[in-house]
Amino acid sequence: MLANGTLLQNRYLIKRPLAQGGMGAIYEAEAIHLGHAPVAVKETFFVQDWLREQFQREASMLARLRHPALPKVSDHFVEDAGQFLVMEFIPGEDLEKLLESHIEEQGTPFDWQRVVKWADRLLDALEYIHSQQPPVIHRDIKPQNLKLTPHGELFLIDFGLAKDATTPTSPGRSVHAYTPNYAPPEQLKGTGTDARTDLYSLGATLYNLLTGEIPIGANVREEVMRFGVPDPLRSVSEIKLQIPPSLSDAIARAMKLDRKDRYQNAKEMREALHQCERDYKTLIAEEKRRNAELKLRETKRLLEEERKRQEEARQRELEEKRRKEEEARVLAEQQRQEEVRKRQEEARQCELEEKRRKEEKIRRQVEKQIDQQKRLEQEQAEKSRGEEKAQLEELNFERKRKKEIERRKHPEQVTRPQSVKTSPQFNPRGRSQTAEEALESATVNPVVTEQAAEPAVHIQPAIEITQDVPNTQLMESELPTYTEPLPTQEQDKEWRVILRSQRLQLSAGVVAVLALSLFYLLWPYLKNETVSPQSQTQSTPLPTVDVTERLQYWFELENQKSLTTKHILAPDLGIKFHFKSRENGYLYLLALDQKNRLTAFLRDEPVQSGSDFVFPSNAEEWFDLSRKDIKQAHVTVLLARSRIHDFDNLVLNVGQSLSQAEAIESLKRLVGAILPITRDDMSERGITAIAVRAIADDKPLIFDIPFEYVRN
């Protein structure tokens, strides 16, 4: 064992030992003559001559080898008792130590792709040495003899057991050194080695580098398999699942016990490993292709899902848009209906206001008529009282005249009347007596004597008499001459009773006429249910008069096959009128024509009580009131008990220069139909009709049917 600092051949300075075995040692040294270049010096301990000769052959054999995976031999010399071989120094660690460190650090052996690259380099070196003439056999390939430099270059070292084809193999003259777990059966038995021996050792080395396990020795495998048990050596892919099966099969073939079953040379095994790489690359490419297809399918699926989501979002957006449009349409329809309702309400309010105004006007007219009637009655009463007073005065004067004539004719039968106080202040009933009452109460009380043939007459004057009047003051020549006899007392009383009864009858007749006129005028407005509460509270309560139903009417709409009582129409629809009269008569229908003239569309049509009268009667005809320039229209209906003669000329005369409202009012005045009417919608009671009510008499019934056109 050389000490550090030993100088050999004055050229090689020993620095430190690298490895030591039973047959020699290896040192790291410097070649002084080469500028202190690092070299490896191998020393052998052989003392036998044949061993020395074998070492010398190894030196000469290695000196002619030139391969990137093999160290270069530069010198061989003998000094003292030892032989030395100088070769290229390979820095780094052997694979055995690196494998232990890798497993300790990462918990797993080397990656199989890295190991295959190393195997390719080694097989290339084996193919090189096996192709030498004669071939060189290493015979000790194992992880310890594989050194990896810091740059990643792998070298096959320690050719101490190498031999060539010229190496003698005489018994007892061959070196039988080997590593049992990496040696094939022929090397263990000493039956001779060849290139296939190195392939077995390389396969065992790859097995260890890939699995981290030392392979079972060949002798153990043969012993076990001799008893019919399968080979106990597990496959590489069974131990490490990540290793491709083709690589596992290649290593298993290289480690076959029978050399005939192994690869026959390094080139064949190298091609097998290349095929494993190609298969793996193909597998990887296929895997990548499958992954790409899967990724493409996944991408298509994601795109399809995205498209579906976008479609669903678009559908939701369209649905939301349709919903908003529907809500807007419904809101617009509601607003339109609200506007229609407001217009109807305004029309109803206007109608109610118009009715209230008419009622107020009628009430004022009735009050005016009542006041006029009262004044007329008072004037009539004043006139009656004046006439009665004049008649009484004339009667008293006539009585006085007749009495004076009697007194002058029969002065002996007439006694002087007693003084009777008849002053207006005298009133036995506690009130003053008027002059009229005094005249009415004046009586003649004659004083009858026993000798008188006729009863004496006592006249009570209409004025107060305070003293006696001498008979001589009344001259016969001053009194008028009358030929008629004076009425008796009974006749005078009878005349006064008749006069009072006539006055009472006259007053009762006047009151009855006024009451009947008042009831006749105010009854429809007292019975009308549509009068507003304000008008009911403001108007003076009046007596009610019985009304009766005169007529019912309803409508039939075109293209809708329905009956209704509503007065709201679409401008493009025609209507049919249905009338049911409670009395026999004649029906007339008036409206404005296209020239805005009042026209009778229905003339002299007899109707029967209780029957349904339809106009137009033709099933294919419809009545059209719509015009583009109007939003409202109305039709006037006239029902008369008897035919109205010359009705067309009557309508023509009243409709030439007047509006429809004025023309209808003129027509009403002409036919004498001034009766107010009321309408009652009976649809709430299950009857599709509007009942028209008025005072039951024989006057014609005239009323208007208003229509409102709803335009979209």
Side-chain angles (χ1 to χ4, degrees), residues 479-599:
L479 297 175
T481 304
Y482 294 93
T483 58
E484 294 182 1
L486 294 173
T488 63
Q489 186 175 2
E490 291 76 8
Q491 291 176 347
D492 182 55
K493 291 181 179 181
E494 183 179 357
W495 183 84
R496 286 199 299 271
V497 170
I498 292 172
L499 183 62
R500 288 192 183 95
S501 64
Q502 289 178 353
R503 187 174 60 183
L504 291 174
Q505 290 177 359
L506 179 62
S507 299
V510 171
V511 171
V513 170
L514 289 176
L516 182 60
S517 300
L518 182 63
F519 294 164
Y520 179 80
L521 292 175
L522 296 183
W523 162 245
Y525 302 93
L526 295 177
K527 291 293 288 182
N528 193 352
E529 297 179 354
T530 61
V531 178
S532 63
Q534 294 181 355
S535 63
Q536 291 179 0
T537 55
Q538 292 176 1
S539 62
T540 305
L542 297 174
T544 60
V545 179
D546 237 357
V547 295
T548 184
E549 181 178 312
R550 300 283 299 276
L551 182 72
Q552 289 184 4
Y553 69 91
W554 62 94
F555 313 105
E556 181 179 354
L557 303 180
E558 184 182 6
N559 296 332
Q560 295 189 4
K561 306 300 182 181
S562 60
L563 302 177
T564 181
T565 60
K566 303 300 180 183
H567 297 75
I568 301 176
L569 300 175
D572 54 345
L573 294 181
I575 61 172
K576 286 184 181 292
F577 292 89
H578 289 254
F579 298 95
K580 181 181 288 187
S581 174
R582 299 299 182 183
E583 57 197 22
N584 296 336
Y586 292 85
L587 193 65
Y588 301 85
L589 191 70
L590 297 91
L592 294 180
D593 59 8
Q594 297 296 328
K595 296 182 180 180
N596 206 27
R597 295 177 304 184
L598 187 65
T599 304

Side-chain angles (χ1 to χ4, degrees), residues 342-393:
K342 287 182 179 180
R343 288 197 298 268
Q344 292 177 352
E345 182 67 20
E346 291 174 357
R348 191 177 67 85
Q349 292 295 333
C350 292
E351 184 179 355
L352 293 177
E353 184 65 23
E354 183 67 19
K355 286 184 178 181
R356 187 195 65 77
R357 186 182 62 78
K358 290 182 180 180
E359 291 172 359
E360 184 66 21
K361 182 178 179 181
I362 293 175
R363 186 183 64 80
R364 288 196 297 267
Q365 291 177 356
V366 170
E367 290 179 353
K368 184 177 180 181
Q369 291 179 2
I370 292 175
D371 293 339
Q372 291 177 356
Q373 190 68 28
K374 286 182 179 180
R375 286 195 299 271
L376 180 62
E377 184 180 357
Q378 290 176 359
E379 291 175 358
Q380 187 70 23
E382 290 291 337
K383 183 177 180 180
S384 299
R385 284 195 296 271
E387 291 177 355
E388 290 178 0
K389 182 177 179 181
Q391 291 178 1
L392 289 175
E393 289 178 353

Side-chain angles (χ1 to χ4, degrees), residues 16 43 59 107 138 143 150 152 197 240 339 392 396 450 533 612 624:
R16 64 182 179 90
E43 179 187 14
H138 189 281
T197 302
K240 193 175 181 181
E339 291 177 358
L392 289 175
N396 288 334
E450 293 179 358
D612 183 7
D624 185 11

